[in-house]
């Protein structure tokens, strides 16, 4: 990423591995998978935690001491790993797919696929994150956090505007669908 060194990042990732997994596949569903995430997005999140633009009691103290080189190396390492696919609750994927691919015209919810891609791969050039294989619980937490305005590091309020229009049922269903992508 942006010149990061994955080998150096691997060495620096020992403290991260406790939560995010040695290969970036966390087991606790509240901790995001980082494997395969775009380096530019990982870098942005680490900078946002360091600058208090995104706040989390676990992550803030982890990000504070990192240098720009550390962040780039860590981003290169985790992005080079492969995300393990998640498992979707099949009873919810029909609604989830509808929201993901089509949004909700009646309530002004934009289609997720427009930015995150039909398969959840995101778009590194635009810094739209990959959602591939992400944990259902983590996705729901982030959507709720955007909806409440507690997570406010999305440029142009892209995610806050979308999440504000979503119902709990839509959030639950789309998270299940994404986990199976
Ligand atoms: C989120 C990296 C250590 C727990 C994140 C994110 C990144 C990251 C890039 C944002 C992911 C996303 O937006 O998809 C790192 C690195 C670490 C580290 C590079 C080591 C230097 C830890 C540790 C813990 C932890 C040790 C647990 C004690 C979490 C949690 C979140 C998170 C709970 C989600 C925060 C939220 O809900 O907003 N981490 N992490 N991380 N990390 Fe870490
Ligand atoms: C971030 C879901 C629509 C742009 C996220 C995250 C989730 C998510 C879960 C957090 C990822 C993480 O922390 O790893 C969704 C869902 C959508 C949707 C379910 C449809 C209902 C969109 C659309 C756009 C967009 C239409 C573009 C207009 C972004 C951006 C971020 C993001 C830029 C990263 C914000 C940051 O820099 O922290 N989205 N998204 N999303 N999404 Fe969406």
């Amino acid at each position: 990423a942006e010149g990061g060194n994955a080998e150096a990042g691997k060495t620096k990732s020992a403290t991260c591995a406790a939560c995010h997994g040695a290969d970036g596949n966390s087991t606790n569903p509240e901790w995001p998978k980082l494997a395969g995430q775009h380096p530019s997005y990982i870098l942005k999140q680490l900078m946002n935690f360091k600058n208090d633009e995104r706040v989390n009691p676990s992550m803030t103290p982890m990000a504070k001491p990192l240098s720009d080189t550390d962040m780039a190396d860590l981003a290169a390492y985790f992005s080079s790993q492969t995300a393990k696919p998640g498992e979707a609750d099949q009873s919810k994927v029909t609604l989830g797919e509808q929201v993901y691919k089509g949004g909700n015209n009646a309530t002004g919810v934009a289609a997720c696929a427009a930015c995150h891609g039909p398969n959840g791969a995101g778009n590194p050039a635009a810094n739209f994150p990959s959602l591939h294989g992400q944990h259902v619980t983590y996705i729901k937490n982030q959507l709720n956090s955007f909806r409440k305005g507690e997570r406010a590091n999305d440029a142009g309020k892209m995610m806050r505007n979308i999440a504000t229009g979503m119902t709990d049922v839509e959030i639950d269903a789309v998270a299940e669908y994404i986990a199976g992508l």
Side-chain angles (χ1 to χ4, degrees):
E2 329 329 283
N5 179 318
E7 270 307 305
K10 182 176 184 174
T11 309
K12 294 173 181 177
S13 72
T15 48
C16 321
C19 296
H20 293 286
D23 66 351
N25 284 284
S26 50
T27 48
N28 182 320
E30 295 193 3
W31 300 334
K33 293 182 190 176
L34 303 177
Q37 185 56 269
H38 309 305
S40 54
Y41 174 80
I42 295 178
L43 197 57
K44 177 184 181 286
Q45 300 309 309
L46 291 172
M47 286 176 165
N48 287 167
F49 284 123
K50 184 170 177 173
N51 299 334
D52 302 312
E53 288 159 354
R54 180 175 173 183
V55 178
N56 177 267
S58 300
M59 275 311 296
T60 302
M62 294 305 303
K64 289 284 178 190
L66 299 176
S67 69
D68 289 355
T69 307
D70 293 338
M71 291 188 205
D73 291 347
L74 288 160
Y77 173 65
F78 283 114
S79 69
S80 72
Q81 302 298 301
T82 304
K84 291 183 184 146
E87 266 184 41
D89 177 340
Q90 292 303 317
S91 71
K92 296 175 181 168
V93 296
T94 305
L95 174 62
E97 181 172 16
Q98 193 181 310
V99 172
Y100 190 84
K101 292 184 175 166
N104 186 338
N105 275 335
T107 52
V109 174
C112 319
C115 295
H116 294 285
N119 300 311
N123 178 349
N127 224 349
F128 298 150
S130 168
L131 302 177
H132 186 70
Q134 192 54 270
H135 296 294
V136 173
T137 304
Y138 174 75
I139 295 169
K140 282 164 59 170
N141 286 348
Q142 296 311 305
L143 291 172
N144 280 314
S145 172
F146 282 125
R147 186 164 65 170
K148 284 188 262 182
E150 287 169 3
R151 178 169 170 184
N153 67 327
D154 53 331
K157 292 196 175 188
M158 274 186 260
M159 284 309 302
R160 275 172 288 172
N161 287 338
I162 287 163
T164 301
M166 296 181 80
T167 65
D168 290 342
V169 172
E170 286 174 331
I171 286 178
D172 190 38
V174 85
E176 291 289 348
Y177 177 73
I178 289 168
L181 281 176

